[in-house]
Structures are given as C-alpha cells and as structure tokens.
C-alpha cells in the first residue's frame, strides 16, 4: 500500500492559490503568537472579522465554501487547517478542525448580515 504524503509547502501553496483571502485572514490573526493578542482562537477570529472590510469578508465567505467543498480526503482536515490555512492552533482531530472552521463560517455570516441585511451566501 502506497501512502501519499502531501507536504506542508504544497498545502500552503494550494491554499494560497485557491483561497488567498481565507488563508490571509486566518494566518494573520492565528499565527504562532495569537495567544499574545487574544485569549482564545475564537476571539482572534472575532478580532479578524471586526478589522476586515465587508467586501473582503464576502470574498472570504465565498472562498470558505469552496474550501469546504474541495477539502481533500487524502489529507487530514486538521493538516489542511493547521498547515494549509496557517492556523497555528494545533488541532489534534479532524472534528476539532471542522468545528473551528464551521464557527469561522458562522461568525462571517453574522458579521456580513449585520452590515448587509439583504446579503445571501
């Protein structure tokens, strides 16, 4: 049985090419020092969203949906989030990573709808 190993660089490059706004939002606020600025990863996401322009949040939401649809089953979800999207939280299970990313999406939707009530994802 041949096991496919996908490198961190490849995961990061794919995210950079396909989901640049999503990767940038998460990487800028959830880098290795996120806990110096925010108490929890969720508070880091809140700050990221509050400091990001509405139109960029809309792009991030579109990219999030594409990321979710294209998430490779060949690579663990936590590696896709931790390494590909540069979220330095260190999820140990796919469920932890999935729950976190679902919360990110929910927070994006709420923030966008607070600014643009007629917007639909």
């Amino acid at each position: 049985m041949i096991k496919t190993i996908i490198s961190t660089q490849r995961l990061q490059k794919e995210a950079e090419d396909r989901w640049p706004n999503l990767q940038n939002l998460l990487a800028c606020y959830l880098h290795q020092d996120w806990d110096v600025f925010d108490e929890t990863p969720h508070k880091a996401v809140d700050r990221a969203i509050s400091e990001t322009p509405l139109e960029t949040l809309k792009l991030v939401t579109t990219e999030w949906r594409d990321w979710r649809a294209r998430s490779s089953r060949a690579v663990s979800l936590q590696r896709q989030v931790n390494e590909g999207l540069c979220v330095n939280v260190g999820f140990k299970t796919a469920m932890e990573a999935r729950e976190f990313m679902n919360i990110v999406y929910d927070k994006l939707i709420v923030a966008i709808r607070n600014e643009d009530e007629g917007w639909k994802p």
Side-chain angles (χ1 to χ4, degrees):
M1 183 162 134
I2 298 175
K3 188 173 184 175
T4 303
I5 297 175
I6 299 176
S7 72
T8 297
Q9 287 179 331
R10 184 168 162 201
L11 289 170
Q12 287 176 354
K13 179 71 171 134
E14 177 185 34
E16 182 182 307
D17 291 346
R18 289 187 176 179
W19 315 292
N21 294 289
L22 175 62
Q23 183 191 50
N24 187 56
L25 180 98
L26 295 175
C28 286
Y29 289 86
L30 289 152
H31 50 72
Q32 68 272 11
D33 294 330
W34 65 263
D35 58 345
V36 171
F37 303 100
D38 299 290
E39 293 174 28
T40 67
H42 300 290
K43 288 185 179 183
V45 171
D46 290 338
R47 188 165 59 88
I49 289 171
S50 73
E51 295 178 0
T52 302
L54 178 62
E55 292 309 312
T56 303
L57 293 178
K58 289 177 181 180
L59 290 172
V60 170
T61 303
T62 300
E63 290 178 8
W64 184 98
R65 285 194 312 271
D66 185 63
W67 169 82
R68 180 74 172 112
R70 293 178 178 260
S71 293
S72 171
R73 298 190 197 289
V75 179
S76 69
L77 187 63
Q78 63 267 34
R79 280 194 66 211
Q80 290 177 356
V81 176
N82 291 334
E83 298 171 27
L85 294 174
C86 304
V87 174
N88 200 350
V89 174
F91 301 110
K92 293 184 178 26
T93 68
M95 183 61 81
E96 287 177 358
R98 181 180 323 281
E99 287 173 354
F100 175 79
M101 290 302 289
N102 286 342
I103 288 169
V104 168
Y105 183 75
D106 292 344
K107 288 175 179 283
L108 286 164
I109 297 299
V110 169
I112 294 168
R113 286 196 175 144
N114 283 340
E115 296 291 320
D116 183 352
E117 292 179 17
W119 180 82
K120 296 192 189 306

